[in-house]
Structure formats: structure tokens, C-alpha cells
Amino acid sequence: MQKGEKVFVAGHRGLVGSAIVRRLDSEGLGPIVTRTRAELDLTDRLAVDRFFADEKPAYVFLAAAKVGGILANDTYPADFIRDNLLIQTHVIDAAHKSGVKKLVFLGSSCIYPKLAQQPIKEEYLLTGALEPTNDAYAVAKIAGIQMCKAYHKQFGMRAISLMPTNLYGPNDNFDLQKSHVLPALMRKFHEAKAAGQPSVVVWGSGSPRREFLHVDDLADACVHLMRTYESPELVNVGVGDDVTIRELAETIRDVVGFRGDLTWDTSKPDGTPRKLLDVSRLHGLGWKAKIGLRQGVEQTYAWYLANVAGK
Ligand code: GFB
């Protein structure tokens, strides 16, 4: 990927796509091509085909997806499977037909079996039953991985699949019903502090373990692997370390400066007990995460205060 080569970032307004645009900009890569949803509906096959035929990008980061936290996945499984299958099918196929040099497809750590051995190696894919709260989303993402492999095998397309762990950072979704745990708790603690509330409700038991990667680290890994990785075999992208939801909540409470208690709502699902990615393949490819959880939460809270709180 050289300066002057056209790069399409699909999903540039989201958590991941916006981080990839920042990362490309930091090196002057591009021209970067983007389209809002109003300008280009990625679930519309003809529109996507037309866009690729007209723009002919050299490189594609496929960061457009329907995403959400545990409750959104569990409540709207039809939306998650339909939109993700359509978006990725259209973008991968149109990228192939228009002759892109390389495409990065982004999946998720929920593609692995619910009770996979930990840490989870890439080869555990399709070796067991999925976590039921997000199986529709996971099946769509697994289809995307298989599509990249199939297009590589049949057409020689250079399409690589990266599986990030739970992500957070600027431009995350802070909706209390639909978001992931980290932005939800940041907002809950912030609002409880402002309102002088005695406690904050946290879902589940607090015992599930999750691994959190700052999205700027993911964007850096995406650019590194776009440049250096050629195999259709997937690569986990994580930090190699996890925390309990209780530990996460306490860290965020501390950063936000809320002094009250945590109350556990055990009517809400815990989801999978643990999903720590094995990152040896990634480390072997010469990349490691740099942003620690505490530092990343502080940076994200500063962004939240400047861009979301009170707006
Ligand atoms: O981040 P999260 O929604 O997704 O939830 P998953 C992680 C854990 O945090 C669960 C707990 O055990 C939740 O019950 N939790 C505690 C909360 N308080 C809250 C809260 O206020 N909001 C939320 N959202 N959770 C998702 C998948 O699973 O992970 C997606 O559904 C995707 O498909 C994503 O793969 C990365 O880690 O459980």
C-alpha cells in the first residue's frame, strides 16, 4: 500500500472505520474514499457494484457491519445476520470483480465456540457450538471468513480476515441498550456521578472475563497486516490478557471518579464465560498491542467528555 493508491474504508463513521481513517491519515496514505450510508447503501448489491466499477479502489478495509452488545445481538438476531451477510457479500464480490489489490475483512472473537479452550487459537474455529446470545452475528462473520478463503482459492483474490477481540475507543456507540459493556459503563458512571446517584446497575454476575483492545491499536494492526500478511488463514487481533467484568467496572468507575456502589442485575445475560484470544500468530507477524486498558479508558473518557457528554 503506497501513497497515492486509492483506499476504500467501508464504515468510516464507525468505531473501527474512523480509527482506520485516522491511521491512514497519520501516514498520508490514500486518497481515502468513503461513503455515508445515505450515499451508498452497502445492502444494495447494484449500488455497491456501481460504486466499485466507478471508483476502482486499490485497497479495501471492510469495517462496515451491523454491530452491538450482548442485548442487541440477543434481541435483533435477524437484523444482525441479514445486514452483515448482505454487506460483506456485496463488498467482497464487488471488490473481486473490480480487481482490488487486497481487502481486509474484519470479524469478531464471538465466531469461536462458546466453551473453546483458552486462550483461543485460530484453529478452534468451527470446532464447537456457538454462544447463543450472538450466534446469528457469529454465523454471518464466519460466512465472511469462508467467503474470503473461497475467493482466494477459486480466483486468487488477496482477501485477509482479522478477528479482533472486544473493541473500544472514540466514536463508540454509547446507547445504553445497544452498546457494548465498556461504553455503556462509562456513560452510566458519568451520568450517575453528575446526578449524585448512590449506585450504578451493571448487568450479569460480573464474573465473565473479556479482553479489551483499543481501536487505535486495531487500526495499526490492520494497516500492518494489509502490508505484510498474505494468507487466507485468519489472524486473531487482541492484547493477550483479560479482566473480569467486575474489574472492568471498577477501573471505569475509578477513571470517571464515581464514588458510589455497583449493583448487579443478574436478570441480564452473562454471555460467554471467557473469550481470550491467543495472539501468538499476530506476535509472530511482528505486531503487538501498545495501549493498556487503564490508559485506553482514560483516553476514551477524555474523548467522551469532549464529544458526547452533555451534547
Ligand atoms: O460487551 P458486551 O455487550 O458483549 O457484554 P459480549 C460483555 C459482558 O458485560 C456481559 C456485561 O457479561 C454483559 O452482561 N455487562 C455489564 C454489560 N454491564 C453491561 C452493560 O451495561 N452493557 C452491556 N452491553 N454489557 C458481544 C457480542 O458479546 O461482543 C457481539 O454480542 C460482539 O457479537 C461483541 O462479538 C464483541 O462480549 O458478551
Side-chain angles (χ1 to χ4, degrees):
M1 201 169 42
Q2 308 288 336
K3 282 183 189 174
E5 291 184 300
K6 201 182 266 188
V7 183
F8 175 43
V9 180
H12 71 289
R13 283 185 163 171
L15 173 68
V16 173
S18 61
I20 292 174
V21 169
R22 285 196 299 279
R23 175 63 187 78
L24 294 170
D25 274 343
S26 74
E27 238 187 275
L29 292 165
I32 303 169
V33 182
T34 58
R35 289 290 186 277
T36 62
R37 192 171 306 178
E39 290 164 345
L40 175 62
D41 176 1
L42 296 173
T43 67
D44 176 346
R45 177 173 199 136
L46 290 178
V48 176
D49 280 349
R50 254 195 317 269
F51 165 78
F52 272 87
D54 290 348
E55 286 290 342
K56 293 206 180 343
Y59 294 91
V60 176
F61 290 93
L62 178 37
K66 174 145 190 87
V67 298
I70 192 165
L71 197 63
N73 268 274
D74 205 22
T75 314
Y76 309 106
D79 295 351
F80 279 81
I81 194 164
R82 181 199 57 228
D83 289 357
N84 286 304
L85 284 173
L86 289 174
I87 292 168
Q88 69 205 28
T89 302
H90 297 164
V91 173
I92 296 168
D93 187 56
H96 158 63
K97 287 187 295 201
S98 74
V100 302
K101 289 188 178 173
K102 199 163 174 185
L103 175 144
V104 168
F105 172 69
L106 288 157
S108 162
S109 59
C110 69
I111 57 160
Y112 292 113
K114 175 185 174 88
L115 299 176
Q117 201 185 317
Q118 308 285 319
I120 309 171
K121 292 183 187 298
E122 287 86 349
E123 53 264 34
Y124 300 166
L125 181 67
L126 295 173
T127 58
L130 296 164
E131 155 61 33
T133 54
N134 58 32
D135 55 0
Y137 175 73
V139 165
K141 289 294 182 183
I142 293 169
I145 297 166
Q146 297 303 121
M147 193 166 166
C148 290
K149 280 189 185 171
Y151 274 57
H152 177 83
K153 185 173 173 186
Q154 189 176 335
F155 304 122
M157 182 182 183
R158 292 164 77 213
I160 64 171
S161 295
L162 312 183
M163 297 305 118
T165 191
N166 290 37
L167 301 167
Y168 68 99
N171 295 316
D172 209 339
N173 173 8
F174 289 85
D175 178 286
L176 292 180
Q177 293 304 310
K178 295 185 178 165
S179 70
H180 291 102
V181 58
L182 196 152
L185 292 184
M186 188 170 282
R187 176 169 167 190
K188 285 184 191 176
F189 286 127
H190 175 80
E191 291 180 352
K193 181 184 166 191
Q197 285 167 14
S199 65
V200 154
V201 176
V202 188
W203 298 351
S205 65
S207 62
R209 302 187 70 88
R210 293 289 185 273
E211 179 186 13
F212 295 94
L213 178 72
H214 192 285
V215 73
D216 286 348
D217 266 340
L218 174 72
D220 193 56
C222 286
V223 170
H224 176 73
L225 295 170
M226 175 72 102
R227 282 176 162 151
T228 58
Y229 188 65
E230 292 298 336
S231 164
E233 294 306 323
L234 54 155
V235 183
N236 289 339
V237 186
V239 295
D241 205 5
D242 60 2
V243 293
T244 63
I245 295 301
R246 177 183 293 276
E247 286 163 341
L248 173 76
E250 287 167 353
T251 301
I252 302 173
R253 174 172 64 179
D254 218 35
V255 168
V256 171
F258 173 68
R259 309 243 171 271
D261 297 325
L262 308 179
T263 314
W264 298 94
D265 175 1
T266 49
S267 71
K268 293 286 193 306
D270 267 346
T272 194
R274 193 176 188 197
K275 46 178 172 180
L276 175 65
L277 294 179
D278 184 309
V279 283
S280 10
R281 185 174 289 174
L282 179 68
H283 289 182
L285 293 165
W287 190 91
K288 270 192 180 156
K290 295 170 200 69
I291 306 171
L293 181 59
R294 171 94 196 191
Q295 179 197 356
V297 170
E298 285 171 357
Q299 187 259 27
T300 305
Y301 187 50
W303 182 89
Y304 175 85
L305 288 175
N307 295 278
V308 180
K311 301 254 153 125

